[in-house]
Amino acid sequence: MASHIVGYPRMGPKRELKFALESFWDKKSSAEDLKKVAADLRSSIWKQMSGAGIKYIPSNTFSYYDQVLDTTSMLGAVPPRYNWTGGEIGDDTYFSMARGNASVPAMEMTKWFDTNYHFIVPELGPDVKFSYASHKAVDEFKEAKALGVDTVPVLIGPVSYLLLSKPAKGVEKTFSLLSLLPKIIPIYKEVISELKAAGASWIQFDEPTLVLDLDSQQLQAFTAAYADLESALSGLNVLIETYFADLTPEAYKTLIGLKGVTAYGLDLVRGTQTTDLVKKDFPKGKYLFAGVVDGRNIWANDLASSLRTLQALEAVVGKDKLVVSTSCSLLHTAVDLVNETKLDDEIKSWLAFAAQKVVEVNALAKALAGQKDEAFFSSNAAAQASRKSSPRVTNAAVQKAADALKGSDHRRATNVSARLDAQQKKLNLPILPTTTIGSFPQTVELRRVRREFKANKISEDDYVKAIKEEIKKVVNLQEELDIDVLVHGEPEASILQRNDMVEYFGEQLSGFAFTVNGWVQSYGSRCVKPPIIYGDVSRPKAMTVFWSSTAQSMTKRPMKGMLTGPVTILNWSFVRNDQPRFETCYQIALAIKDEVEDLEKAGINVIQIDEAALREGLPLRKSEHAFYLKWAVHSFRITNCGVKDTTQIHTHMCYSNFNDIIHSIIDMDADVITIENSRSDEKLLSVFREGVKYGAGIGPGVYDIHSPRIPSTEEIADRINKMLAVLETNILWVNPDCGLKTRKYEEVKPALNNMVAAAKQLRTKLAGAK
């Protein structure tokens, strides 16, 4: 019985690629140094899978940024602003598209389906001149072959690539991206031809958009694309891989009817109903790559249950046509549990990271073939039983409090307009008030202090003193820049990772466990270390009150209390899979509610409860949206339903498409929302142009913090003017897109100075117009 891995983490067990990329970007190392690190990682991954007995090993899943950008490079679909003149796409062009440069901004970045991974959105139109401009897929196949490893090269499928794209600036929004299929198929044919010549016997096309709600025209595009590719694919075994959700019956019918296709990869973890479709109708003689090992979570597989599922499928598709696989790429999980030396032994026995999931896949394949490892299965069964019976998982008081939430929608008693009036009387802010999102640059020295405190190398007094000094520095800088509502910079969570506040809060909540090296790629070189929610959640004591109160004592200006919201903590963690996600979310909401009320008692008048990942968790199918949004929005309202009218509640969201959930955002009933806007070509503003009325405060981001580029005062003023065309002056805030932890002070200071200058310039203009 054969085994298959959809994809594997790229960063390395100790984030080797992250550090190599950042060293290259900072011009501290050469392109050759970067390529050597990458080659060593690829070699290690391929040899590991080969040694574990995996038959179908992927190649071309390694990336310096993301696989969609790699496909854009392969197709030569470089936007004109990057001045690419043809030929093989080099590092400068590739990374300029991803990160921007001194002259031009980066391409839009958004979430990869409903994960915390991101991709660079292709910008396409009728005038794009496609050409075969990156031979990466072929080069990596040859590289693996030279190491003695026969791989399955993986490409983003042509239809999914187009469906994940957007019309370029200046192109009509109604432009049919699928009309470009005849232009990109010839490039795919060139790639296929070269792979065949290099000795490939299998090829994998990832077509994850098949799990979305597609209309008949979109489904027909898959049929047309693979009919066009059929002759080019002759002689190859072709796997179409889908993941993250169930297929609709119409999509499944389209999939199994594709010309020239040998095998179908299905997510049987999140796609729980897809199994029924297979049992009803599976084409004779085709392979089923059954994704029974979860690629998106870190819990050990229930091997006995998976084996039963596989045996049932084997009776349908045939013994020699069933391949055991992961549900999706293992990119979304941590690398290797072996590196976790500080995890509690009991909890550790419940887990499986990418390396362990490879072993699970092969163990299931061998068991199906009659070579069951009884000791391995027995150990797995014992771990499953331990998790179900462990007293540390359940807390009766927490469950009772969560159950008591039913029957109320937890809205604040006064409407937002009246609250804003009360808050303005207390805060006395100017029009177009300026603020930042929360974090400030996390310096090497700051990270050293945090690291040494965790390692017990410095005392708690020395740690507190160092953090206070950093907060004072950040407060002074904001006052010098004349920012209106301040933040303390989050130095107490200074590990330079995108969701370090999630880990910070998780460390202080019961029901959470933490890893040392459980890093997961978010985009580019950015990695996160998601906490593990293994049990019921509660707040034993105050978490941020001391730091927020300390920061407020340093200034007369309003200081924001900074919290991460329950939905974001949920979506940026590895979540327990033994109860519904909404139940866990309600437990977290109650813990954050306690913290909000303690901050208010401590004199903090502005409290930001970030829900950066609320949109990210939206199910892929529209039929499931309403239920998710109901409990997610309710969870946010629970956190702040008990505060006074004069306490201003902010929230923040970033890097997603919010237009389709704007009414749910309004229903959150926050006083002010700051939201990513600049990198997505200000498409957020279009929802207001279309007539949606928003009465609360709103701060669409005026510049992209994920690029080192420093925007000018004029550029920011222009953005604000566009906002003023669709939003009332008295509700508009001025702020960056997101937190500043990933930037350097030499970038942050001039950018914020220009932001404040632009706000003041427009205040003067608006005052003169009265």
Side-chain angles (χ1 to χ4, degrees), residues 141-208:
F141 175 80
K142 290 179 177 177
E143 182 183 329
K145 200 169 183 66
L147 294 168
V149 181
D150 193 21
T151 61
V152 178
V154 179
L155 301 175
I156 296 290
V159 183
S160 287
Y161 176 78
L162 293 177
L163 290 176
L164 293 169
S165 302
K166 69 173 186 178
K169 207 164 190 176
V171 175
E172 288 292 327
K173 298 302 178 189
T174 56
F175 172 71
S176 171
L177 293 160
L178 291 175
S179 69
L180 297 173
L181 259 180
K183 293 187 177 182
I184 68 171
I185 290 293
I187 314 298
Y188 275 88
K189 288 180 178 178
E190 286 189 68
V191 180
I192 292 164
S193 175
E194 288 195 4
L195 286 169
K196 286 168 73 173
S201 58
W202 279 83
I203 187 168
Q204 175 178 319
F205 290 100
D206 281 8
E207 292 282 14

Side-chain angles (χ1 to χ4, degrees), residues 7 71 139 170 175 183-184 208 210 307 317 367 384 411 417 422 521 620 636 644 653 662 685 728 738 753 757 765 769:
T71 309
D139 291 343
F175 172 71
K183 293 187 177 182
I184 68 171
L210 271 167
L307 186 57
V317 306
Q384 299 293 323
R411 292 183 185 276
S417 178
Q521 186 181 18
L620 300 178
F636 176 81
K644 302 171 189 170
M653 296 182 174
I662 190 66
L685 300 185
E728 296 294 329
C738 205
N753 185 67
K765 181 180 175 182

Side-chain angles (χ1 to χ4, degrees), residues 68 72 77 79 81-82 106-110 119-126 128 130 159-178 180 657 676-684:
V68 180
T72 294
R81 65 180 177 275
Y82 299 107
M107 295 166 70
E108 179 185 354
M109 180 173 68
T110 196
F119 72 96
I120 301 297
V121 182
E123 303 171 11
L124 304 178
V128 175
F130 295 100
V159 183
S160 287
Y161 176 78
L162 293 177
L163 290 176
L164 293 169
S165 302
K166 69 173 186 178
K169 207 164 190 176
V171 175
E172 288 292 327
K173 298 302 178 189
T174 56
F175 172 71
S176 171
L177 293 160
L178 291 175
L180 297 173
N657 181 10
E676 183 275 325
N677 172 67
S678 64
R679 185 156 182 171
S680 56
D681 291 333
E682 300 162 345
K683 66 183 176 186
L684 170 70

Side-chain angles (χ1 to χ4, degrees), residues 519-533:
W519 299 98
V520 179
Q521 186 181 18
S522 181
Y523 64 90
S525 70
R526 302 303 175 204
C527 299
V528 297
K529 190 146 60 77
I532 298 166
I533 305 177

Side-chain angles (χ1 to χ4, degrees), residues 577-611:
N577 59 359
D578 59 346
Q579 71 177 17
R581 288 172 70 88
F582 70 85
E583 291 186 12
T584 303
C585 198
Y586 282 153
Q587 293 176 1
I588 302 170
L590 287 171
I592 300 300
K593 181 177 186 290
D594 290 343
E595 187 72 10
V596 168
E597 292 172 2
D598 280 351
L599 282 168
E600 184 183 58
K601 288 173 189 171
I604 304 300
N605 297 314
V606 182
I607 303 171
Q608 181 169 307
I609 308 167
D610 285 350
E611 283 296 13

Side-chain angles (χ1 to χ4, degrees), residues 391-408:
R392 68 200 304 176
V393 171
T394 55
N395 181 322
V398 171
Q399 293 182 355
K400 183 178 179 182
D403 286 342
L405 294 171
K406 295 168 184 172
S408 171

Side-chain angles (χ1 to χ4, degrees), residues 580-765:
R581 288 172 70 88
F582 70 85
E583 291 186 12
T584 303
C585 198
Y586 282 153
Q587 293 176 1
I588 302 170
L590 287 171
I592 300 300
K593 181 177 186 290
D594 290 343
E595 187 72 10
V596 168
E597 292 172 2
D598 280 351
L599 282 168
E600 184 183 58
K601 288 173 189 171
I604 304 300
N605 297 314
V606 182
I607 303 171
Q608 181 169 307
I609 308 167
D610 285 350
E611 283 296 13
L614 187 141
R615 174 62 174 78
E616 174 184 310
L618 191 70
L620 300 178
R621 305 296 278 283
K622 290 178 183 175
S623 61
E624 301 170 19
H625 286 190
F627 178 66
Y628 167 79
L629 289 169
K630 182 179 179 181
W631 63 255
V633 169
H634 187 194
S635 295
F636 176 81
R637 289 201 306 263
I638 288 167
T639 66
N640 61 86
C641 63
V643 300
K644 302 171 189 170
D645 287 355
T646 50
T647 298
Q648 190 167 83
I649 298 297
H650 288 223
T651 191
H652 170 67
M653 296 182 174
C654 59
Y655 298 104
S656 281
N657 181 10
F658 301 106
N659 294 24
D660 56 348
I661 64 163
I662 190 66
H663 293 289
S664 294
I665 292 174
I666 293 170
D667 198 38
M668 291 170 72
D669 199 28
D671 296 310
V672 178
I673 179 171
T674 53
I675 196 162
E676 183 275 325
N677 172 67
S678 64
R679 185 156 182 171
S680 56
D681 291 333
E682 300 162 345
K683 66 183 176 186
L684 170 70
L685 300 185
S686 67
V687 78
F688 302 112
R689 294 189 192 102
E690 291 162 7
V692 171
K693 299 299 181 186
Y694 194 79
I698 183 167
V702 297
Y703 77 90
D704 175 22
I705 63 86
H706 286 296
S707 170
R709 182 173 169 273
I710 298 166
S712 66
T713 300
E714 293 71 27
E715 180 183 332
I716 295 174
D718 181 59
R719 287 190 185 278
I720 299 171
N721 272 321
K722 289 178 181 176
M723 297 170 193
L724 287 169
V726 293
L727 294 165
E728 296 294 329
T729 306
N730 64 333
I731 66 169
L732 186 62
W733 285 63
V734 177
N735 47 263
D737 264 347
C738 205
L740 302 169
K741 72 168 73 72
T742 61
R743 301 268 55 90
K744 299 172 182 174
Y745 271 106
E746 53 264 37
E747 298 161 348
V748 165
K749 289 179 183 178
L752 289 180
N753 185 67
N754 292 348
M755 183 187 82
V756 173
K760 288 181 175 179
Q761 186 183 104
L762 288 168
R763 285 175 197 159
T764 302
K765 181 180 175 182

